[in-house]
Amino acid sequence: MINANIENALLQIALDLSASLPKGTQYQRLIVALNEVLPCDACALLAYHDGVLTPVAVDGLVPEVMEKTFPVEKHPRLEAILVSRKPVRFPADTDLPDPFDGLLLTDRHKKLDVHACMGCSLYVEDTLVGVLTLDSLDAEAFDDVENVTVATFAALAAATIRNATMISSLERQSRHDRQIAAEMMREALTVNSQLLGSSEVMQRLRNEIQLVAASDLTVLITGETGTGKELVAKAIHQQSSRAGKPMIHVNCAALAESVAESELFGHVKGAFTGAVQNRAGKFELADSGTVFLDEIGELPLSLQAKLLRTLQQGELQRVGSDKNIKVDVRILAATNRNLEEEVQKGNFRQDLFHRLCVYPVNSPSLRDHREDIPELSRQFTNDAERKLGIHNIQIDDAAMQLLQDYDWPGNVRELEHLLLRASLKASQQKTNPVVIRVQDIDISGLVADKEHLSPAATEQDTMPAVQEFRPLKDMVDDYQRYLILEALKTEDNNWSRSARLLGVNRSNLHRLAKRLEIID
């Protein structure tokens, strides 16, 4: 029969299990409660890991015990307790040494051996998590203590260890996740996030960014693929009052319609098959920060109304919930589509378009600021040095002229990738510096649509000898003309095959050939 004191102690331990107490505090409160209601001089709670028991809380033992570890193989009493799933009692005359002999606080001279000892292994389901021990100098101290009482305390002790371990693990994981998230945010906002270029076009863009960043207006960033719309969004966020808060990137083109609502607005447990727990969406994660909706033109119509509500009212509902959640986010959106045309086609809501396009910003195509190509190229070759482990990459004048003549349908991103490939090819020269030349550049667009040569061009089908040095641009033009004519001659004036021979396509040669007077 459990007396009232024991019942109260058990109740307090159970209540502590549900309280938000530090791990060490939970352990110590449990062991003190146990020592107060059971007739022992000392008790100890030890956690088990890889064959070693480590004290996590003791009462009635000298403080030095907390600094010790107890390998099970060296302590036969502890080993005997661990191999049993029931409480174990040791007779007073046992020849098995007690690990706490001479360590009881009541033994002032620290000379006496323990006379009564019992213990219980602690299991959570089938996992051994520790051991609970009771010791007394009175050989008959535990004669009236029922096994069920010790087993009950042991079960609560096991639950305490499990809860404390789980909470500690979750706290560590949370700290780790926060550190990773912070690092990713810093990296996302700094690596390759600089808008390069000193042209008038780029200076106007920077001025617009600075102007709108100081406000909290919704911004629609337009521009062709590869123009750096994400960099514009990052620059706006960095220069805003929300810079210290998260910027959450949502690629609307990559959102499957079946999960898009959950990704954006979250869901509650049981909202759909697989929703095993509550989950916050992107807007909740970005609360007090910025949401960047990339490729907004790809957002399904079914979600546009819900997005409009969030923009208008600053609130959302998780999937499966009727509770409104207030969020404070700034919206930056980007698209390479003409949203006004999409509105006319019925693919995009007109009210959402006007809500997003409070302040439009255009990210210019590279052909609109060709004068920035040398500066961009230097940055991209510097990046290539770091990524490829190559030192001192340079671009010769002929290759640079070729880069500036190209129309860059893929814009800055195409230039970046091309120079990465060219750097790798040029590195095979094994020279210092590594020089990117015309032959290292695989530009995909230097062939025209027409297949007729001008009379003047047919007379220029041999590489002119250098009779005298002229401006480099004129000499580069001669060399480009020679290469194209040689390819055409080899392929019987077939422009498609010539393009393949040169490793280019037909999209841009009309402009280049006309400038070089190869075609009329």
Side-chain angles (χ1 to χ4, degrees):
M1 185 73 177
I2 299 178
N3 64 40
N5 289 337
I6 293 178
E7 287 180 348
N8 290 335
L10 292 174
L11 176 60
Q12 187 57 55
I13 294 170
L15 291 173
D16 286 348
L17 279 172
S18 61
S20 300
L21 297 173
K23 180 169 59 175
T25 302
Q26 274 198 324
Y27 292 155
Q28 195 61 41
R29 284 167 68 100
L30 179 145
I31 212 73
V32 169
L34 178 64
N35 202 16
E36 286 179 351
V37 298
L38 293 180
C40 52
D41 292 307
C43 55
L45 179 64
L46 301 94
Y48 176 83
H49 182 69
D50 287 343
V52 177
L53 287 164
T54 304
V56 294
V58 298
D59 193 45
L61 294 171
V62 296
E64 302 94 272
V65 172
M66 292 297 294
E67 307 298 323
K68 295 178 176 289
T69 57
F70 298 87
V72 175
E73 61 182 12
K74 296 182 178 180
H75 296 278
R77 286 208 199 194
L78 295 176
E79 187 174 23
I81 295 171
L82 289 179
V83 298
S84 174
R85 295 292 289 264
K86 297 179 180 180
V88 176
R89 299 168 184 263
F90 297 94
D93 58 353
T94 181
D95 57 358
L96 297 178
D98 190 287
F100 303 124
D101 282 343
L103 298 176
L104 274 66
L105 284 175
T106 52
D107 174 20
R108 295 184 178 181
H109 302 290
K110 298 182 181 180
K111 294 181 179 180
L112 299 177
D113 292 340
V114 171
H115 289 83
C117 174
M118 68 181 301
C120 189
S121 58
L122 309 181
Y123 278 84
V124 175
E125 296 179 349
D126 290 325
T127 302
L128 177 65
V129 297
V131 66
L132 181 66
T133 65
L134 309 175
D135 290 295
S136 177
L137 296 176
D138 181 357
E140 300 176 352
F142 303 135
D143 289 354
D144 296 328
V145 176
E146 298 180 7
N147 279 354
V148 67
T149 302
V150 177
T152 302
F153 275 107
L156 290 171
T160 300
I161 289 178
R162 179 193 60 184
N163 281 10
T165 302
M166 288 177 61
I167 291 171
S168 179
S169 176
L170 289 171
E171 288 175 345
R172 285 196 303 271
Q173 185 63 47
S174 178
R175 287 193 297 269
H176 180 65
D177 289 346
R178 287 197 299 270
Q179 290 170 351
I180 290 177
E183 185 60 33
M184 289 177 67
M185 188 171 75
R186 283 194 297 271
E187 182 177 349
L189 293 174
T190 56
V191 176
N192 290 330
S193 63
Q194 186 179 2
L195 285 167
L196 298 174
S198 54
S199 64
E200 183 179 348
V201 169
M202 291 304 294
Q203 189 55 51
R204 282 201 304 269
L205 176 61
R206 291 193 191 92
N207 291 340
E208 277 204 281
I209 289 171
Q210 185 177 18
L211 175 65
V212 74
S215 72
D216 215 21
L217 298 179
T218 300
V219 179
L220 179 63
I221 306 164
T222 59
E224 298 175 5
T225 297
T227 56
K229 295 185 290 296
E230 183 178 351
L231 296 185
V232 173
K234 288 179 179 179
I236 293 172
H237 177 73
Q238 284 178 298
Q239 296 179 42
S240 75
S241 61
R242 299 173 183 259
K245 302 297 183 179
M247 174 177 167
I248 303 297
H249 184 163
V250 180
N251 185 348
C252 297
L255 285 176
E257 189 166 357
S258 59
V259 299
E261 185 177 0
S262 172
E263 285 293 315
L264 291 176
F265 307 117
H267 62 254
V268 296
K269 181 178 179 181
F272 49 83
T273 303
V276 296
Q277 60 185 6
N278 293 344
R279 182 174 182 269
K282 304 294 188 185
F283 277 85
E284 284 185 74
L285 294 176
D287 192 25
S288 74
T290 302
V291 172
F292 174 46
L293 299 172
D294 201 5
E295 304 293 349
I296 186 65
E298 308 295 330
L299 192 68
L301 271 170
S302 59
L303 284 179
Q304 291 180 22
K306 295 190 176 184
L307 175 60
L308 180 64
R309 176 185 177 183
T310 300
L311 267 63
Q312 289 176 328
Q313 302 178 16
E315 62 183 27
L316 56 86
Q317 286 182 355
R318 290 184 178 183
V319 178
S321 172
D322 57 3
K323 178 183 177 182
N324 292 334
I325 299 174
K326 287 285 186 181
V327 290
D328 172 26
V329 296
R330 183 183 191 176
I331 303 295
L332 306 178
T335 182
N336 58 10
R337 291 190 178 193
N338 186 325
L339 289 189
E340 291 181 279
E341 291 183 0
E342 295 301 311
V343 169
Q344 295 301 319
K345 294 176 183 177
N347 296 328
F348 204 85
R349 291 180 62 108
Q350 186 174 32
D351 47 6
L352 178 58
F353 167 70
H354 290 299
R355 182 63 67 168
L356 290 171
C357 196
V358 176
Y359 195 100
V361 173
N362 180 258
S363 184
S365 60
L366 184 53
R367 60 184 170 276
D368 291 334
H369 56 113
R370 296 175 186 273
E371 59 267 44
D372 290 325
I373 288 177
E375 181 181 349
L376 289 165
S377 298
R378 283 194 296 273
Q379 178 61 50
F380 294 147
T381 53
N382 289 342
D383 292 343
E385 290 178 0
R386 186 184 68 255
K387 293 176 181 177
L388 302 175
I390 302 171
H391 299 289
N392 196 10
I393 301 174
Q394 299 180 13
I395 304 173
D396 73 9
D397 292 334
M400 182 59 71
Q401 184 64 56
L402 188 62
L403 297 178
Q404 291 182 291
D405 281 339
Y406 182 46
D407 262 354
W408 299 107
N411 293 292
V412 178
R413 185 184 299 131
E414 184 182 3
L415 174 63
E416 179 183 10
H417 294 169
L418 180 142
L419 288 175
L420 189 62
R421 296 192 300 272
S423 298
L424 185 60
K425 291 179 181 179
S427 69
Q428 305 307 305
Q429 304 164 9
K430 307 297 183 185
T431 61
N432 187 15
V434 172
V435 180
I436 296 175
R437 307 181 192 280
V438 170
Q439 57 266 34
D440 300 315
I441 297 176
D442 57 346
I443 286 182
S444 59
L446 290 175
V447 188
D449 297 326
K450 295 186 179 180
E451 296 186 359
H452 303 286
L453 298 179
S454 67
T458 59
E459 298 173 0
Q460 302 177 30
D461 58 354
T462 58
M463 181 62 192
V466 180
Q467 301 295 334
E468 60 178 349
F469 284 95
R470 294 169 290 137
L472 182 61
K473 184 179 185 303
D474 295 339
M475 299 179 71
V476 169
D477 286 349
D478 289 342
Y479 186 54
Q480 288 179 317
R481 184 183 299 110
Y482 167 75
L483 290 175
I484 294 171
L485 292 172
E486 283 295 297
L488 289 166
K489 183 166 64 175
T490 301
E491 297 296 340
D492 297 325
N493 284 345
N494 184 298
W495 288 76
S496 295
R497 291 201 302 269
S498 298
R500 286 194 294 272
L501 181 65
L502 291 169
V504 297
N505 63 38
R506 296 168 55 94
S507 65
N508 260 352
L509 185 64
H510 182 253
R511 180 183 63 81
L512 181 60
K514 195 168 186 178
R515 184 176 71 77
L516 296 174
E517 298 182 351
I518 295 176
I519 57 176
D520 296 327

